[in-house]
């Protein structure tokens, strides 16, 4: 597997850098999902997880295909210390269990997907439900920040502004948001398997979208029709 270039939404921003288009982003997350699904299936009997899913471990080969790196590293560490030493996105239950798992990998992938959709790093954000204050500021991780924005019916605020300039992708954005929120469900048993995640993404788009991606320089927000999608997100 000849992969050397790390994929990162955050590094691909700023002066002199060209933001990734929507087709490229879907291709990257689908490739990562397929790789993670293969690991889970191949080592399903032993339930061996990847254990360190994060954007810097999604590498691009010379053809631009996404590959998952660092698999097996967690097996070299003492299980009691693996959570602390691995830098992947942690699932809520890992705070108590201190164990790596395939179902926690799904959560980590969900954070990666939300990172691609929002263009934000999975750090902490102030809650839109409460005003900012120097003495008191409620902070949330990326999945909870996304949920808080959706709950306040500001779904358009979730997505990366660069994506909002593309025409005819509103339904795909919302569908991918559904996948990301499903993967990051707080309860492990409510998360889909990575095999199911791959199928969900493929149903949204396998290669090129039949809708096409026409970039509109003047466009800076989603169409008002997006406001009708919040009801479909309340289950997450």
């Amino acid at each position: 597997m000849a992969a050397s270039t790390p994929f990162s939404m955050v590094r691909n921003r700023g002066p002199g850098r060209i933001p990734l288009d929507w087709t490229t982003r879907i291709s990257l997350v689908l490739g990562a999902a397929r790789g993670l699904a293969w690991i889970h299936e191949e080592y399903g009997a032993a339930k061996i997880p990847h254990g360190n899913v994060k954007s810097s471990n999604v590498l691009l080969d010379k053809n631009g295909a996404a590959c998952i790196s660092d698999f097996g590293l967690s097996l070299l560490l003492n299980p009691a210390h693996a959570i602390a030493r691995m830098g992947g996105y942690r699932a809520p239950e890992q705070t108590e269990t201190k164990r790596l798992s395939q179902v926690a990998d799904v959560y980590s992938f969900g954070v990666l997907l939300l990172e691609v959709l929002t263009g934000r790093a999975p750090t902490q954000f102030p809650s839109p439900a409460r005003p900012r204050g120097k003495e008191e500021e409620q902070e949330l991780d990326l999945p909870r920040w996304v949920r808080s924005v959706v709950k306040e019916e500001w779904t358009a605020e979730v997505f990366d502004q660069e994506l909002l300039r593309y025409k005819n992708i509103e339904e795909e954005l919302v569908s991918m948001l559904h996948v990301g929120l499903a993967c990051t469900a707080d309860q492990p048993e409510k998360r889909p398997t990575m095999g199911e995640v791959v199928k969900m993404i493929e149903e949204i788009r396998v290669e090129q979208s039949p809708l096409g991606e026409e970039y509109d320089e003047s466009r800076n927000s989603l169409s008002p029709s997006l406001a009708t999608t919040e009801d479909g997100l309340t289950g997450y």
Side-chain angles (χ1 to χ4, degrees):
M1 179 173 63
S4 59
T5 306
F7 158 66
S8 173
M9 288 302 308
V10 178
R11 292 193 196 92
N12 204 55
R13 310 181 71 81
R17 295 178 180 268
I18 301 174
L20 297 176
D21 60 48
W22 181 229
T23 295
T24 301
R25 296 190 199 196
I26 283 195
S27 176
L28 291 172
V29 297
L30 180 55
R34 285 170 172 167
L36 195 55
W38 182 87
I39 292 172
H40 285 188
E41 181 177 359
E42 187 73 9
Y43 300 95
K47 296 183 178 180
I48 296 176
H50 180 283
N52 197 20
V53 178
K54 55 183 178 179
S55 60
S56 59
N57 279 340
V58 177
L59 305 184
L60 309 181
D61 65 16
K62 61 182 180 181
N63 298 316
C67 309
I68 290 284
S69 69
D70 270 9
F71 172 60
L73 182 60
S74 62
L75 301 178
L76 303 178
L77 300 176
N78 184 318
H81 302 150
I83 291 292
R85 298 203 177 188
M86 304 295 277
Y89 309 142
R90 299 178 187 177
E93 69 273 10
Q94 291 180 296
T95 301
E96 296 182 1
T97 65
K98 307 295 183 184
R99 299 181 64 180
L100 304 174
S101 67
Q102 290 190 350
V103 71
D105 280 351
V106 175
Y107 183 94
S108 300
F109 177 81
V111 177
L112 171 63
L113 179 51
L114 294 179
E115 185 180 358
V116 170
L117 288 170
T118 64
R120 296 173 179 264
T123 51
Q124 294 185 328
F125 307 93
S127 170
R130 300 176 63 180
R132 283 184 161 215
K134 293 183 179 180
E135 298 182 356
E136 182 181 8
E137 181 175 299
Q138 184 181 17
E139 292 187 337
L140 307 171
D141 59 20
L142 183 54
R144 285 179 173 78
W145 176 81
V146 170
R147 286 185 175 84
S148 68
V149 175
V150 171
K151 184 178 180 180
E152 294 298 315
E153 300 185 353
W154 299 340
T155 301
E157 299 296 323
V158 166
F159 300 110
D160 185 352
Q161 291 297 308
E162 293 297 331
L163 292 178
L164 304 187
R165 296 179 181 273
Y166 289 94
K167 296 180 179 179
N168 303 321
I169 67 168
E170 290 95 334
E171 290 186 8
E172 291 186 0
L173 288 172
V174 173
S175 295
M176 289 293 280
L177 184 60
H178 275 281
V179 178
L181 291 174
C183 290
T184 55
D186 285 338
Q187 297 82 6
E189 65 276 8
K190 291 186 177 181
R191 298 171 201 154
T193 66
M194 282 309 305
E196 292 170 337
V197 170
V198 170
K199 291 179 180 178
M200 286 190 284
I201 297 175
E202 287 177 342
E203 288 176 357
I204 296 170
R205 179 196 293 190
V206 178
E207 297 296 339
Q208 294 293 326
S209 169
L211 298 176
E213 276 186 30
E214 183 178 353
Y215 190 76
D216 186 345
E217 293 285 353
S218 65
R219 193 174 192 186
N220 56 18
S221 63
L222 290 178
S223 63
S225 63
L226 183 62
T228 64
T229 63
E230 278 80 12
D231 290 342
L233 299 174
T234 56
Y236 299 105

